[in-house]
Amino acid sequence: MSGKLKLPEYFFQLLVEASADALLVVDEQGAIVFANAQAGRVFGYRPDDLLHKPIQLLIPDNLHAQHARHQEHSAKNSRARHGGGELDLRGRRSDGSEFVMDVGLSPLETHRGSLVIVSVRDLSEQKRVERRERDRLRVLELLNSGAPLQEILEFTVRAVEAEIPGAICSILLLDDSGKRLVHGAAPNLPEFFNDAVHGVEIGDGVGSCGTAAYLGKLTIVEDIHTHPFWAKYVDLAKKAKVRACWSQPVFSSDKKVLGTFAIYHREPSAPEARDIEAIEAAASYVSLAITRKRSEEELQASEARLHAIIHNTPNVAVELYDMAGRVRFWNEAATRMFGWEIDEAIGKTLDQLIHTPEEAESFLQLLRELSGTGKSLGPLEYHFRRRDGSEGWSISTIFEIPGFGGVPMFVCMDVDITERKQAENAMRQSEERFRQVVENIQEVFWMLDAKDGRLLYISPGYEKIWGRSSEALYRSPAAWFDAIHSDDRERVPNRSTLNHGADQYDEEYRIIRPDGSVRWIHDRAFPIRDNQGHVYRVAGVAEDITERRQIEERLRQSQKMEAIGQLAGGVAHDFNNILAAVMMEVELAATAKDVPADTREGLQVIGAAADKAAALTRQLLLFSRRQVMQPRRVDVNGIVTTLAKMLQRILGEDVKVQLHLHPSALVVHADPGMLDQVIMNLAVNARDAMPAGGRLVIETSERHITEDELRASPDASSGMHVVLAVSDTGMGMTEDVKAHLFEPFFTTKQPGKGTGLGLATIFGIVKQHRGWIRVYSEIGQGTTFRIFLPACEAGHELPSEAAAAARPRGGHETILLVEDEASVREVSKRMLERHGYKVLEAVSGTEALRVWGEHGDKIQLVFTDIVMPGGIGGRELADQLRMIQPNLKIVFTSGYSSELAGGAIRLQEGINFVQKPSSLNEVLDTIRKCLDEPF
């Protein structure tokens, strides 16, 4: 083995094609036999188009001889030779433009003859940077040497013209009046043109230069022939053969306009970014020169000249240091930047002013390395401290200038970048805050790669809501989809299929946690686009809405109960009309003297059955909240205490009744009979839930319901409430039983043991009293019903129970009977007439008004149903009759009273209202009481 690495030919071809230099192979006749891809890019040709072309194609005609000498010199040396830079070798592109290049020539002997490998590197940008730096240093050199202003201006013009191909530059100066521009330097513009613009008055729209000087900003005119700024001067421009003009104001250190620096072109042209940089740099050089020369008229010695340079850069701190790092000069910008006044800074060292000892030593080392090199350093980022102790950052440029007695001095120009650094720090802090937000919010924030569905981020809320590990989800993003309830998966997009971010969704679905519990999720996904509008990520927010769904379900359940109640109330109302006729007919028949015993016994059986049917309809009406309520101010404690002894007898010895009552009276506006029924029904249910005995605890308390608590209870109301709690130590209920608890006819008892209306009736009574119920139950732990009722304001005494005095049943007055149900109307008429009353009949409110019109002066009382067809019900009839006779006495009857809710009629059973179905005595006693009551 020779020890040399032998590589295949294609490897060398790869190296050639990957080269950053243009590589050409030229034969003995000067023809190109090979060109790599970079050669095509540098010279502007396709590589194949260069094959067999003479190498002179790529060399400017006037430089053929220079390149030939370089080739001849290289041929005498077997090693590769380079030229460019100092030899000013230039290449020619396909568009004819030229560029400075570095050329390397390497001879190569082959079986085909002698070849030359030519390597070319484009030095245009490097030369431009070097030239710009040389120009800058030259301007400073001219200033420091005391060169005339005209020389500096013309140098600046020629420097920019050399940098920008085709540029013709002009400098105009603002005269002492500040209103006119005068000629400064324009060596390549025609003299007649310079004479014409000399003394032009500045203004908005006065050419490019007049506008730039007037507005104080860069003014670009790409085509003079069509631009309105040049309308007055277009002929002059045509004569001078210029078509474009870009003019930059030249500012003094205090932002006053000193003149303009303009670039003209012979063809319409728009500036590139580097053109703008060149014109701004030139303007700064001109500003520097003008300021310097004007300052020389006022200042003496070299310090005055340096002072003029410094004041050209009001936003740049300029300091002058000696080799020991001692301050020799300090401008106002340095004072603003560092906080030290000029007289305080002069003579002090770096570590006494703006740097720590370590930072100062590092800076001095740079000065020592820079000394005598003629180079500049920068831009460098430096940390500094201010006089007040605050800290900042600067970008600094340092260069050496001749000092007094040959002692080197160093100019340091600093730009404060503290705000930029703070902005960067703020950005980092913002990103940190974002991280903290997404890691602490209750919702789950997630992000996917749109191309491959890879999970990029998942917030910690995922582990809390899903109950699963984030690391496992990163490893397998499909685990998100796997956790979704099987019934919901079909309508939820799988995240792994969100290719290219084409899909977005807004869905609610269920997930199953590892412990088996189910949570409802509201998940939203949306695309994130790049600057080209392409979707490259998909982000989303997933929220746990289980509690909200539960509230919505309770609201739907409440609405369902309301609908069922309306149906039950309608049925009970119609059935009550039938029962009313039956019960009164039975009573009338039973009062006859010649009724046989067996018939009387049958009537009693019919009456008992009717009473049971009436009790059932009352339960339906209570459930539907259409049972006529007789509310008054009552003390809940008093109702519980009164019922306690009776409850103990009903519940039996195995169930112990315990009372825990609030020490003060708890007053509500309620029907005491209905509250009795609520407590009784709950107590009976509690007994059935404790077949082996137990404890029944009845508690009363006060509770203030806040607005915040309303969000979780859509059927609740705010303010002070009385809470009646009935608890047992029974077997408890399952969640499924609790979900159907208040539905009518729903029961867990054995067939024949219950109607299923007990709790539905309680629900209706509580709703009718503007309250609500909460149930708490666990299997084996018992059940608690808490009933919330609005509390009454304090300050009114409770009404006392007065014994009712016996009143006669009959009378001789005339009564207008208004009833649409024929059977009820007929039996009611016979009952009233049998007891001495004169009766006028009407089947509707409309007919009643007609009867009143004929016999109104004879009628002492109106006995009317509340709900009737024809558009005029009992309430409307009463309103119209009392407009005619305000003191008219009226007794109402109805199967339910929802129509009266919020109405002006106040019902009092036994005074002005008879609940259907009713007995003969109830009807007669109520009518007699109403007739006998004074108004």
Side-chain angles (χ1 to χ4, degrees):
M1 189 176 273
S2 64
K4 294 184 179 180
L5 180 63
K6 294 184 178 180
L7 297 175
E9 182 180 346
Y10 73 84
F11 181 77
F12 291 104
Q13 184 175 357
L14 288 175
L15 291 178
V16 169
E17 291 299 332
S19 173
D21 291 341
L23 297 179
L24 303 166
V25 178
V26 182
D27 63 15
E28 293 177 329
Q29 287 72 40
I32 300 171
V33 295
F34 173 80
N36 69 349
Q38 182 65 8
R41 287 189 287 270
V42 169
F43 289 99
Y45 293 92
R46 292 176 60 252
D48 290 346
D49 293 341
L50 290 174
L51 297 180
H52 311 301
K53 298 292 192 300
I55 192 66
Q56 285 80 6
L57 175 69
L58 307 180
I59 302 171
D61 295 339
N62 61 334
L63 296 178
H64 283 180
Q66 183 179 1
H67 280 270
R69 288 194 298 274
H70 175 59
Q71 183 177 2
E72 180 182 353
H73 177 71
S74 299
K76 296 177 181 179
N77 193 325
S78 61
R79 293 181 301 169
R81 309 290 289 180
H82 284 271
E86 70 281 357
L87 295 177
D88 195 25
L89 298 180
R90 293 179 178 270
R92 178 169 59 191
R93 299 186 180 92
S94 61
D95 60 3
S97 61
E98 299 179 5
F99 64 96
V100 179
M101 60 183 181
D102 179 78
V103 180
L105 302 176
S106 300
L108 177 65
E109 296 296 332
T110 71
H111 66 280
R112 296 170 55 187
S114 298
L115 301 175
V116 177
I117 299 174
V118 182
S119 63
V120 177
R121 181 169 297 175
D122 188 346
L123 301 178
S124 301
E125 182 62 21
Q126 176 183 333
K127 291 296 183 179
R128 187 182 68 82
V129 173
E130 293 175 354
R131 181 171 55 248
R132 179 81 60 81
E133 180 62 16
R134 286 197 303 273
D135 292 343
R136 185 182 68 83
L137 294 174
R138 179 57 181 163
V139 169
L140 292 175
E141 182 182 343
L142 290 173
L143 286 170
N144 288 328
S145 65
L149 177 61
Q150 187 66 29
E151 180 182 347
I152 298 173
L153 297 183
E154 289 191 0
F155 170 81
T156 304
V157 166
R158 296 185 189 280
V160 176
E161 289 175 345
E163 180 176 344
I164 301 177
I168 306 170
C169 299
S170 167
I171 297 175
L172 297 176
L173 306 178
L174 202 62
D175 67 4
D176 293 339
S177 70
K179 297 181 179 180
R180 296 182 180 277
L181 292 172
V182 297
H183 176 68
N188 292 316
L189 280 173
E191 187 175 350
F192 69 83
F193 187 88
N194 293 332
D195 291 341
V197 299
H198 180 77
V200 68
E201 187 171 356
I202 66 174
D204 191 0
V206 181
S208 300
C209 296
T211 303
Y214 182 79
L215 298 179
K217 65 180 182 179
L218 176 64
T219 301
I220 297 173
V221 173
E222 297 179 9
D223 190 346
I224 290 174
H225 290 184
T226 60
H227 201 285
F229 287 180
W230 281 83
K232 294 182 180 180
Y233 311 102
V234 66
D235 291 338
L236 178 66
K238 289 179 178 179
K239 185 178 179 181
K241 298 180 180 180
V242 290
R243 285 291 298 272
C245 181
W246 318 327
S247 184
Q248 166 70 29
V250 177
F251 294 104
S252 66
S253 59
D254 55 359
K255 290 299 181 181
K256 291 182 179 179
V257 176
L258 301 176
T260 61
F261 187 96
I263 296 178
Y264 293 86
H265 282 276
R266 303 240 179 240
E267 298 295 335
S269 180
E272 297 180 359
R274 62 184 182 182
D275 297 331
I276 300 296
E277 290 178 9
I279 195 171
E280 289 177 349
S284 68
Y285 300 158
V286 173
S287 173
L288 190 65
I290 296 172
T291 304
R292 176 71 172 271
K293 290 303 177 181
R294 289 181 179 178
S295 297
E296 286 178 350
E297 299 173 0
E298 303 172 0
L299 304 176
Q300 298 177 355
S302 61
E303 285 189 3
R305 292 193 297 272
L306 182 59
H307 189 268
I309 299 173
I310 295 168
H311 277 282
N312 178 52
T313 53
N315 296 321
V316 178
V318 180
E319 311 96 58
L320 183 65
Y321 298 101
D322 60 19
M323 283 292 294
R326 195 174 303 277
V327 177
R328 296 302 182 185
F329 184 85
W330 187 270
N331 74 343
E332 294 178 1
T335 295
R336 290 190 293 272
M337 184 170 174
F338 301 113
W340 295 90
E341 295 295 337
I342 295 175
D343 56 351
E344 293 175 324
I346 299 298
K348 287 189 171 62
T349 56
L350 284 166
D351 58 338
Q352 295 174 312
L353 295 174
I354 59 176
H355 290 310
T356 64
E358 294 78 11
E359 292 170 341
E361 179 56 35
S362 175
F363 187 85
L364 290 176
Q365 180 62 31
L366 285 177
L367 298 186
R368 288 191 285 269
E369 294 175 359
L370 182 62
S371 179
T373 63
K375 298 180 180 179
S376 63
L377 289 177
L380 306 171
E381 284 195 7
Y382 268 104
H383 169 267
F384 66 84
R385 67 168 184 252
R386 301 183 182 89
R387 181 176 182 178
D388 60 7
S390 62
E391 298 180 348
W393 286 85
S394 70
I395 287 185
S396 303
T397 300
I398 308 167
F399 56 91
E400 183 181 6
I401 62 172
F404 303 105
V407 177
M409 294 288 180
F410 301 90
V411 175
C412 183
M413 305 177 70
D414 302 310
V415 176
D416 193 336
I417 60 168
T418 304
E419 290 186 1
R420 190 192 79 186
K421 285 285 189 178
Q422 290 172 342
E424 293 172 353
N425 186 54
M427 177 63 73
R428 287 191 294 270
Q429 293 177 352
S430 176
E431 292 173 351
E432 176 63 19
R433 285 194 296 269
F434 172 76
R435 184 190 64 79
Q436 292 174 353
V437 168
V438 298
E439 290 184 0
N440 289 282
I441 58 176
Q442 298 296 322
E443 294 79 5
V444 178
F445 176 77
W446 54 267
M447 185 175 293
L448 300 177
D449 187 297
K451 292 182 179 179
D452 55 16
R454 181 169 48 91
L455 180 65
L456 301 176
Y457 181 78
I458 188 75
S459 67
Y462 170 78
E463 296 187 350
K464 189 180 301 181
I465 296 175
W466 262 255
R468 289 175 164 83
S469 164
S470 296
E471 285 77 6
L473 187 64
Y474 280 115
R475 290 193 300 269
S476 177
W480 181 295
F481 188 75
D482 295 340
I484 297 175
H485 195 286
S486 58
D487 294 344
D488 298 339
R489 290 179 185 173
E490 184 176 347
R491 58 186 174 82
V492 179
N494 192 331
R495 287 154 195 268
S496 63
T497 65
L498 290 178
N499 295 328
H500 308 296
D503 297 328
Q504 57 184 8
Y505 62 84
D506 188 330
E507 291 287 349
E508 292 184 2
Y509 54 83
R510 291 164 293 173
I511 63 167
I512 301 177
R513 291 165 54 91
D515 61 6
S517 61
V518 176
R519 308 296 294 177
W520 273 97
I521 303 298
H522 180 200
D523 194 7
R524 289 153 290 172
F526 48 90
I528 301 176
R529 304 180 185 276
D530 58 22
N531 293 334
Q532 287 73 42
H534 301 138
V535 176
Y536 71 104
R537 289 179 182 173
V538 178
V541 177
E543 175 187 5
D544 186 343
I545 58 169
T546 306
E547 183 177 348
R548 191 192 81 191
R549 295 283 298 215
Q550 291 171 345
I551 294 173
E552 291 173 351
E553 182 60 30
R554 286 202 294 269
L555 179 59
R556 282 192 293 270
Q557 183 70 9
S558 175
Q559 292 170 341
K560 182 175 72 173
M561 296 293 290
E562 183 73 21
I564 295 174
Q566 291 177 357
L567 175 62
V571 172
H573 172 267
D574 293 342
F575 194 50
N576 270 341
N577 279 331
I578 299 172
L579 287 176
V582 171
M583 292 175 68
M584 284 193 288
E585 287 286 4
V586 168
E587 288 194 69
L588 282 174
T591 59
K593 296 180 180 180
D594 56 350
V595 177
D598 56 345
T599 302
R600 189 178 299 279
E601 184 177 342
L603 290 173
Q604 289 175 352
V605 172
I606 294 172
D611 286 339
K612 289 183 180 179
L616 181 60
T617 58
R618 277 195 295 274
Q619 284 188 303
L620 286 173
L621 287 171
L622 284 171
F623 162 71
S624 66
R625 304 195 298 279
R626 286 178 172 150
Q627 172 68 30
V628 176
M629 187 171 67
Q630 308 294 319
R632 57 188 176 86
R633 292 169 58 85
V634 294
D635 178 12
V636 176
N637 286 344
I639 290 176
V640 173
T641 303
T642 302
L643 277 178
K645 293 181 180 179
M646 182 173 65
L647 285 177
Q648 188 64 72
R649 289 194 299 270
I650 293 173
L651 300 179
E653 296 180 356
D654 291 341
V655 178
K656 183 178 180 182
V657 178
Q658 296 179 350
L659 304 183
H660 298 296
L661 305 182
H662 193 274
S664 302
L666 299 179
V667 181
V668 297
H669 193 256
D671 185 318
M674 290 184 176
L675 291 188
D676 286 347
Q677 187 169 1
V678 167
I679 298 173
M680 188 69 70
N681 283 2
L682 290 176
V684 171
N685 281 349
R687 179 198 61 190
D688 294 342
M690 299 182 290
R695 287 186 299 113
L696 176 71
V697 181
I698 303 177
E699 301 175 82
T700 60
S701 60
E702 282 186 308
R703 173 84 177 276
H704 186 271
I705 305 300
T706 65
E707 295 292 339
D708 291 338
E709 292 177 282
L710 298 184
R711 297 189 183 95
S713 300
D715 54 348
S717 59
S718 61
M720 187 60 70
H721 287 71
V722 173
V723 183
L724 171 63
V726 179
S727 304
D728 64 58
T729 57
M731 60 188 71
M733 294 180 286
T734 64
E735 291 297 324
D736 183 61
V737 170
K738 284 196 290 183
H740 302 280
L741 200 58
F742 296 110
E743 294 180 5
F745 309 112
F746 174 79
T747 180
T748 59
K749 299 176 183 178
Q750 295 295 324
K753 297 293 185 179
T755 64
L757 287 173
L759 289 175
T761 299
I762 292 172
F763 180 86
I765 291 174
V766 173
K767 284 295 183 182
Q768 200 167 359
H769 285 79
R770 297 183 294 113
W772 69 95
I773 307 174
R774 289 291 173 263
V775 183
Y776 308 88
S777 182
E778 293 184 17
I779 296 295
Q781 300 298 317
T783 301
T784 297
F785 288 83
R786 283 194 172 86
I787 298 170
F788 295 78
L789 299 174
C792 287
E793 296 182 2
H796 298 281
E797 294 184 359
L798 298 176
S800 60
E801 297 288 343
R807 298 174 185 269
R809 291 187 174 185
H812 303 285
E813 291 88 351
T814 298
I815 297 174
L816 174 57
L817 173 62
V818 188
E819 172 62 62
D820 63 297
E821 188 68 33
S823 59
V824 177
R825 185 176 65 253
E826 177 61 27
V827 71
S828 298
K829 177 183 178 184
R830 286 192 286 114
M831 173 193 67
L832 292 172
E833 289 178 339
R834 183 174 295 184
H835 288 80
Y837 294 109
K838 297 177 182 178
V839 180
L840 300 174
E841 294 181 73
V843 299
S844 66
T846 302
E847 186 178 351
L849 290 174
R850 182 186 59 77
V851 173
W852 178 271
E854 297 175 359
H855 306 285
D857 56 338
K858 301 174 184 177
I859 298 172
Q860 283 84 39
L861 181 141
V862 176
F863 183 33
T864 179
D865 193 4
I866 293 175
V867 180
M868 294 182 293
I872 299 179
R875 184 172 62 181
E876 292 79 9
L877 175 63
D879 291 339
Q880 294 190 37
L881 292 179
R882 279 180 172 162
M883 290 178 64
I884 301 171
Q885 185 175 331
N887 295 328
L888 177 64
K889 295 185 177 182
I890 301 176
V891 174
F892 297 93
T893 183
S894 180
Y896 56 83
S897 64
S898 63
E899 298 79 20
L900 302 181
I905 300 175
R906 181 175 178 81
L907 297 179
Q908 291 180 288
E909 192 166 4
I911 302 298
N912 68 341
F913 179 76
V914 177
Q915 169 71 55
K916 290 180 182 180
S918 55
S919 67
L920 280 173
N921 288 342
E922 288 174 338
V923 174
L924 293 172
D925 284 349
T926 300
I927 289 176
R928 191 68 259 167
K929 287 178 184 178
C930 186
L931 286 169
D932 293 342
E933 283 289 333
F935 244 93

